[in-house]
Amino acid sequence: MLRAPLPLVSALLVAGLLAACSTTTDDKTAGWSPNRIHSEAKDELNSGAYDKAIPLLEKLEGRAAGTPLAQQAQLDKAYAHFKAGEKAQAIATLDRFMKLHPASPALDYALYLKGLVNFNDNLGLFSFISRQDLSERDQKAAKDSFESFSELATRFPDSRYAQDARQRMTYIVNSLAQYEVHVARYYFERGAYVAAISRAQVALADYQGVPALEEALYILIQSYDALGMTQLRDDARRVMDSSYPQSAYLRGEVKGTSNPWWKFW
């Protein structure tokens, strides 16, 4: 069996060690104070470099553990994940923060941010190209968002974030009602009138004072008429005449999709 000369073996070992050392990333923050790390992380956040801000904030969490600065680092990290489009990481960070710091004075902000993460998760609020609004998308995120905003408004009614949370809650309720109407319309257009009636009734029973109810009543009237249920049709028509005397639906001026109901936001 051939053996490599000892000098050659030593040289290979040294070369391997040097190569390993060369791939080791130096921690540029090793000598930094927590305040400096925080300052650098804020600069990265403000410039939109979220991928650079997140590791700095993680270091700050460790070095400033047990201090308000560490709590701020957690919230800033959640915000960075949110802005980077990393919903799962943002939610996980916020849940961890609220579990570890249930009495934090920043708890209202954590709830508000959690609501925003779900509210803006590709919900189509400004989807002008496809014209697809929140009510046509998965409703789980909207409901999760509503729960966070509701908890904020209930527990911290005087919070600086409470008013905006309430406005977003109104939008979400409108959207959830509109979702039921989308489904009712879908069934009606395909001749599934019983199913259309069922979904329209859900919207009317579960939501009050929202724009979608006008179309829900109209679908109800049309579906009853298609089934020859004249008494129920006339009852629904009387309700609509009373609630929406100037309805564009009753005048045959059915609204299109070019200007969604949520465009005012």
Side-chain angles (χ1 to χ4, degrees), residues 2-222:
L2 294 176
R3 298 190 179 187
L6 288 177
L8 177 59
V9 172
S10 298
L12 290 173
L13 289 173
V14 170
L17 290 172
L18 290 174
C21 291
S22 67
T23 59
T24 301
T25 302
D26 291 334
D27 182 1
K28 68 176 183 179
T29 70
W32 293 6
S33 68
N35 285 333
R36 182 179 176 188
I37 297 176
H38 181 242
S39 177
E40 294 286 338
K42 293 296 285 185
D43 286 344
E44 299 292 4
L45 280 175
N46 292 335
S47 66
Y50 306 115
D51 58 327
K52 295 179 180 178
I54 290 170
L56 289 172
L57 293 166
E58 289 173 343
K59 290 183 182 298
L60 181 57
E61 277 190 76
R63 295 192 195 175
T67 70
L69 196 56
Q71 294 185 32
Q72 184 62 52
Q74 290 177 30
L75 292 173
D76 286 343
K77 186 174 74 168
Y79 177 79
H81 280 306
F82 164 52
K83 296 298 288 184
E86 299 168 346
K87 172 189 171 180
Q89 294 92 322
I91 294 296
T93 301
L94 289 167
D95 285 343
R96 178 171 174 267
F97 174 87
M98 289 187 281
K99 181 178 180 180
L100 293 175
H101 312 290
S104 171
L107 192 60
D108 61 335
Y109 172 73
L111 286 167
Y112 179 69
L113 183 55
K114 187 175 179 180
L116 285 183
V117 172
N118 283 309
F119 188 85
N120 288 321
D121 182 36
N122 293 321
L123 295 178
L125 182 58
F126 299 113
S127 183
F128 296 114
I129 296 178
S130 67
R131 309 306 300 178
Q132 184 177 50
D133 64 76
L134 184 153
S135 61
E136 296 172 297
R137 305 296 294 266
D138 177 19
Q139 299 301 292
K140 184 180 184 305
K143 292 177 181 178
D144 289 345
S145 180
F146 184 90
E147 289 179 5
S148 296
F149 289 138
S150 179
E151 184 176 354
L152 164 61
T154 301
R155 295 180 60 185
F156 307 99
D158 298 324
S159 167
R160 61 185 293 188
Y161 308 106
Q163 181 59 34
D164 186 67
R166 293 187 189 99
Q167 291 177 350
R168 292 176 187 273
M169 286 168 63
T170 298
Y171 167 81
I172 292 170
V173 169
N174 287 342
S175 171
L176 293 174
Q178 186 68 37
Y179 171 75
E180 298 297 338
V181 174
H182 274 301
V183 177
R185 187 192 313 126
Y186 173 87
Y187 284 132
F188 176 80
E189 291 173 350
R190 284 155 183 78
Y193 303 120
V194 173
I197 289 169
S198 177
R199 297 312 287 256
Q201 288 177 334
V202 168
L204 292 165
D206 291 352
Y207 304 98
Q208 300 296 320
V210 297
L213 299 189
E214 181 181 356
E215 185 178 0
L217 275 170
Y218 181 71
I219 291 173
L220 206 59
I221 294 168
Q222 296 295 96

Side-chain angles (χ1 to χ4, degrees), residues 243-265:
S243 302
Y244 306 98
Q246 303 300 320
S247 174
Y249 290 98
L250 296 180
R251 298 197 305 268
E253 302 170 3
V254 178
K255 299 174 183 177
T257 57
S258 60
N259 291 300
W261 63 269
W262 46 264
K263 191 175 180 181
F264 69 89
W265 183 272

